[in-house]
Amino acid sequence: MRLVVVGNGMAGSRLVSEVRARDPHMRIAVFGAEPCRPYNRVLLSNVLAGSSRPEQVRLVDASWYEAHDVEAVLGATVTGIDREGGHVVTACGRREPYDLLVLATGSDAIVPPIPGVERAIPFRTLGDCERIVAAAGHARRAVVVGGGLLGVEAARGLAGRGLPVTLLHLAGHLMERQLDVEAGEVLGETLAGLGVEIRTGVSAEAVLEDGVRLAGGELVEGDLVVLACGVRPVTWPAERAGLRVRRGVVVDDELRTDDPSIFAIGECAEHDGTVYGLVAPAWEQAAVAADVIAGGKARYRGSRLVTRLKARSVELAAMGETQLGEEHAEVVRFSHRARGTYRKLVIRDGRLVGAILLGESDVVGTLTQLYDRGGPVPGDRAGLLFPGSSATPVADSPTLMPDAAKVCQCNNVTKGQIRACWEAGARDVAAVTAATRATTGCGTCRDAVEGIVDWLCEQEGVSV
């Protein structure tokens, strides 16, 4: 059986490792358009901020492919799929036969069609990130266009390097897809306190040598302009091959396209009308597709999304239906703008269907578990937001957290799995990470994993 994977990013590389874990003999070739080994795109904001080096966000060691008998063709764009002949064609003319094909082509950065946009740098790939860091070294002021998740992370990272930053956003408040109006405003106030000037409700009309011209003629000064205007699924290889495409490449519960020998996963795939833009669904899809490819009967039923902002001095988690108001759901809300704190629970039919937690909070783990499981919400609603004020237990504490509690959302790792690998000899975070992949997604669970490992060591009197 010959498996070809088109795309060697976070989805494609995970699919390859999942298939190899299930089938040691299948012939596997993976084609990556980028010339480098796969890396954790989620952690690029850390590279931009200077808290991580590029080599620290790599997902695969250089020797992994040879050790696992996988052919990796890097810097090779697949330009065509011959479904009748059963092979793919690269830009350099290579023709690779397949029995099964997986499309993991991801997304491209959206570049607005405005004059001078070539002067700006998109924030999407590791190469983009390295260009931004190099330019920041001699820039006097930066402008970030786009106030979604990536734009906020980029602005905070550049401000952390000492650059004055202006963040421009078309919508009326930041991260409007994940946050309601007040949460977006509180986030903007928090960023302003960290050195980022926020301009919402504005449209970039042109990129000039000395900044960005807004609609209406105003010039926002900056000699470094970064684009974070969203992403668009890369679907053209599938479209050229005649596969069914809407917003993404349409797949069923086995992640198959309308051609049963071709699968699609990650940001390029559309399942049940949804295109997911986060890493956890991509990795869940990779596991399901790998099971099916290896002869199993797994099914993908969709993912529950939890968005975490990874910016120094800014704590934010958002999940589910955050935009609902009192007319459609029970809403529990607390706001303390002077402290940069905003907490909101959205409850419907006695279950948590959405939440926003902005500012330092010790209840993220508890609420994430409630949302992820869809279990009933305790009657003491206020106790969920302020656990110290009631008898409501805090599941973030290792001693109170049940073994079924999910610690790493990106990789579906529970406390029980961490306990099991600790009992098998994994006595530090690095060993737990190697055994379970916990902490390798967005990285926000690292403190929780460390706390569980430390607690287990204390219980057994083990010194590390």
Side-chain angles (χ1 to χ4, degrees), residues 54 58 70 173 182 189 220 262 301 308 359 399 439 455:
R58 301 288 186 192
V70 172
H173 67 276
E182 187 172 4
E189 292 162 5
V220 179
I262 302 178
R301 305 299 188 188
R308 301 293 294 265
T399 57
T439 78
W455 170 69

Side-chain angles (χ1 to χ4, degrees), residues 284 365 368-369 372-373 395-398 401-423 426 432-433 435-439 445 448-453 455-456:
E284 290 172 12
T368 301
Q369 291 165 38
D372 190 57
R373 295 179 189 172
D396 297 58
S397 167
M401 186 184 294
D403 275 358
K406 193 181 296 184
V407 178
C408 177
Q409 294 291 322
C410 297
N411 289 286
N412 293 313
V413 180
T414 64
K415 175 192 171 185
Q417 289 172 299
I418 294 173
R419 181 200 293 273
C421 73
W422 185 90
E423 291 172 348
V432 169
T433 296
T436 66
R437 291 183 173 138
T439 78
C445 66
V449 173
E450 195 170 76
I452 292 170
V453 171
W455 170 69
L456 288 168

Side-chain angles (χ1 to χ4, degrees), residues 217-238:
E218 180 186 354
L219 176 68
V220 179
E221 295 185 356
D223 48 352
L224 168 60
V225 179
V226 175
L227 301 177
C229 304
V231 296
R232 182 180 294 112
V234 176
T235 60
W236 60 263

